[in-house]
């Protein structure tokens, strides 16, 4: 089966491409390499182009004839989305529309969308179910919610289009085989910043708020290993092909760790101490963000293999030492 993966040279996309290739899928990656890397594409062909380049996109569809599309090509940095919302709406929404229009032109009906728990904003219920209202609190989250609404409406239009939207919680770790991992400029994710601090690449690690209504006063997050997340994408594709039903799934383990618990795990795994300083809260950070994941387990039969904080940190650390 032929799969077009947009953004397949990036962190999550490259892990999905790797898994697709290992499972025998024919893959083509479409990526402008603004944050992705050519070396991260381990299987199939890489087309270096922007989704805004309509003619190149149409040429890829015409020549490769994909049977399904997995869409990862998005800007993802929340503070940047606040500073430059037009950049985020143009790439995350307008370019996605162009991709969907091209799919329609060439009769491609199956779509897997890389969404985010950012669509929930600050949820009222924990764990967060997929039925929770969409109340994003930043432009990044708004772009993901906007695309989800477009997908919903398109699936109801009677054209045969169907999709699965996967709402990621906190993705972390690296390929257990050590072939690919996180390589994004100026990372904002806690585990990446922590291992970089342990490595000596950053002078200190900041904790943004220590007065939250949690057991140790720091935020709690649901961390999911990137390989388990990649597996969810293949299961989502299989589900779509077998049932023909559009659906939305949370991608998380259903439990969380606090910032301080993560820091302790990083120090234990790396065997290194490093400076940690308290900083003011960041606007919009919910105290707790944990997925209700019963639906993905029941509907997709998803059984994560790497639900272990120290394992997640260890794979991130082993990858970091290679870079």
């Amino acid at each position: 089966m032929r799969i077009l993966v947009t953004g397949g040279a990036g962190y999550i996309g490259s892990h999905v491409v790797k898994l697709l290739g290992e499972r025998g899928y024919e893959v083509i990656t479409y990526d402008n390499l603004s944050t992705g890397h050519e070396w991260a594409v381990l299987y199939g062909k890489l087309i270096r182009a922007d989704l805004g380049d309509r003619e190149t996109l149409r040429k890829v569809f015409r020549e490769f004839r994909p049977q399904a599309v997995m869409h990862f090509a998005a800007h993802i940095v929340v503070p940047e989305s606040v500073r430059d919302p037009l950049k985020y709406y143009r790439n995350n929404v307008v370019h996605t529309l162009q991709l969907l229009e091209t799919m329609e032109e060439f009769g491609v009906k199956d779509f897997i969308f890389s969404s985010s728990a950012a669509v929930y904003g600050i949820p009222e219920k924990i764990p967060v179910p997929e039925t929770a209202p969409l109340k994003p609190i930043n432009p990044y989250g708004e772009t993901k919610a906007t695309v989800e609404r477009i997908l919903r409406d398109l699936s109801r239009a009677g054209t045969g289009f169907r999709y699965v939207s996967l709402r990621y919680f906190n993705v972390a770790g690296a390929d257990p085989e050590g072939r690919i991992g996180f390589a994004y400029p100026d990372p904002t994710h806690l585990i990446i910043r922590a291992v970089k601090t342990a490595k000596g690449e950053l002078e200190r690690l900041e904790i943004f708020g220590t007065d939250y209504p949690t057991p140790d006063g720091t935020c709690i997050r649901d961390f999911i290993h990137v390989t388990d997340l990649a597996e969810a994408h293949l299961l989502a594709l299989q589900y779509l092909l077998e049932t023909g039903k559009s659906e939305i799934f949370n991608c998380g383990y259903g439990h969380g760790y606090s910032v301080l618990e993560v820091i302790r795990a990083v120090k234990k795994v790396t065997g290194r101490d490093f400076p940690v300083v308290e900083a003011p809260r960041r606007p919009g950070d919910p105290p707790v963000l944990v997925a209700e994941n019963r639906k993905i387990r029941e509907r997709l039969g998803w059984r994560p293999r790497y639900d272990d904080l120290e394992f997640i940190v260890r794979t991130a650390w082993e990858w970091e030492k290679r870079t």
Side-chain angles (χ1 to χ4, degrees):
M1 186 174 182
R2 296 181 302 279
I3 312 296
L4 173 64
V5 181
T6 67
Y11 172 48
I12 298 171
S14 64
H15 284 80
V16 174
V17 168
K18 176 178 183 288
L19 200 55
L20 286 167
E22 290 172 348
R23 302 281 174 84
Y25 289 87
E26 187 178 349
V27 188
I28 188 166
T29 293
Y30 192 102
D31 199 303
N32 64 9
L33 300 185
S34 59
T35 56
H37 303 274
E38 187 173 356
W39 51 258
V41 181
L42 301 182
Y43 290 88
K45 185 178 181 180
L46 169 65
I47 304 297
R48 183 173 183 176
D50 194 271
L51 280 177
D53 182 351
R54 186 65 170 264
E55 288 310 307
T56 300
L57 188 61
R58 294 181 73 250
K59 181 181 178 183
V60 169
F61 270 83
R62 185 167 52 247
E63 296 179 357
F64 182 62
R65 294 175 293 111
Q67 293 161 283
V69 173
M70 292 187 174
H71 182 40
F72 299 90
H75 297 317
I76 62 169
V77 181
V78 170
E80 183 187 45
S81 79
V82 175
R83 293 193 306 270
D84 191 358
L86 290 180
K87 174 181 179 180
Y88 276 67
Y89 279 97
R90 182 181 306 109
N91 185 68
N92 295 7
V93 179
V94 176
H95 287 177
T96 300
L97 270 176
Q98 187 155 285
L99 173 62
L100 292 169
E101 288 169 345
T102 308
M103 287 178 62
E104 187 171 63
E105 179 183 352
F106 287 90
V108 182
K109 304 296 185 184
D110 296 313
F111 189 71
I112 307 295
F113 179 55
S114 168
S115 191
S116 168
V119 299
Y120 297 122
I122 302 178
E124 298 173 2
K125 182 179 179 182
I126 299 293
V128 190
E130 288 89 348
T131 53
L134 304 190
K135 295 181 178 179
I137 57 173
N138 52 63
Y140 165 68
E142 287 283 4
T143 64
K144 292 295 185 179
T146 299
V147 171
E148 284 203 8
R149 294 185 183 104
I150 293 169
L151 297 177
R152 177 200 62 200
D153 293 344
L154 188 55
S155 71
R156 295 173 177 174
T159 63
F161 174 84
R162 61 260 184 104
Y163 73 97
V164 170
S165 182
L166 298 175
R167 293 173 178 168
Y168 309 162
F169 281 66
N170 288 59
V171 189
D175 170 31
E177 297 175 2
R179 299 178 68 187
I180 49 178
F182 193 96
Y184 194 88
D186 193 21
T188 57
H189 294 184
L190 172 62
I191 289 178
I192 300 300
R193 292 189 67 82
V195 295
K196 284 185 175 295
T197 309
K199 185 182 175 184
E201 202 169 305
L202 300 177
E203 289 184 7
R204 59 186 186 175
L205 181 68
E206 292 181 314
I207 300 177
F208 297 102
T210 57
D211 59 347
Y212 285 95
T214 60
D216 64 20
T218 64
C219 290
I220 293 174
R221 294 291 181 268
D222 189 335
F223 295 92
I224 176 175
H225 193 279
V226 65
T227 301
D228 280 336
L229 180 61
E231 180 69 36
H233 286 76
L234 271 68
L235 291 171
L237 178 62
Q238 181 181 339
Y239 174 87
L240 203 54
L241 297 173
E242 290 177 355
T243 70
K245 296 178 180 178
S246 296
E247 197 54 270
I248 295 170
F249 297 102
N250 283 337
C251 293
Y253 290 146
H255 60 85
Y257 296 96
S258 74
V259 173
L260 290 180
E261 287 175 319
V262 169
I263 292 171
R264 285 195 292 269
V266 172
K267 290 185 175 183
K268 178 180 178 181
V269 168
T270 64
R272 300 184 182 185
D273 197 7
F274 50 84
V276 176
V277 298
E278 295 183 12
R281 290 188 183 192
R282 293 179 298 193
D285 266 349
V288 181
L289 192 57
V290 172
E292 166 59 68
N293 68 2
R294 182 173 55 190
K295 186 176 177 182
I296 192 172
R297 288 177 176 271
E298 293 178 353
R299 300 275 186 91
L300 300 190
W302 183 62
R303 298 292 181 267
R305 293 184 292 165
Y306 303 122
D307 183 3
D308 180 276
L309 179 60
E310 289 190 12
F311 180 85
I312 293 171
V313 170
R314 188 175 304 112
T315 58
W317 175 237
E318 291 302 320
W319 169 255
E320 190 61 37
K321 289 191 294 183
R322 291 169 180 259
T323 61

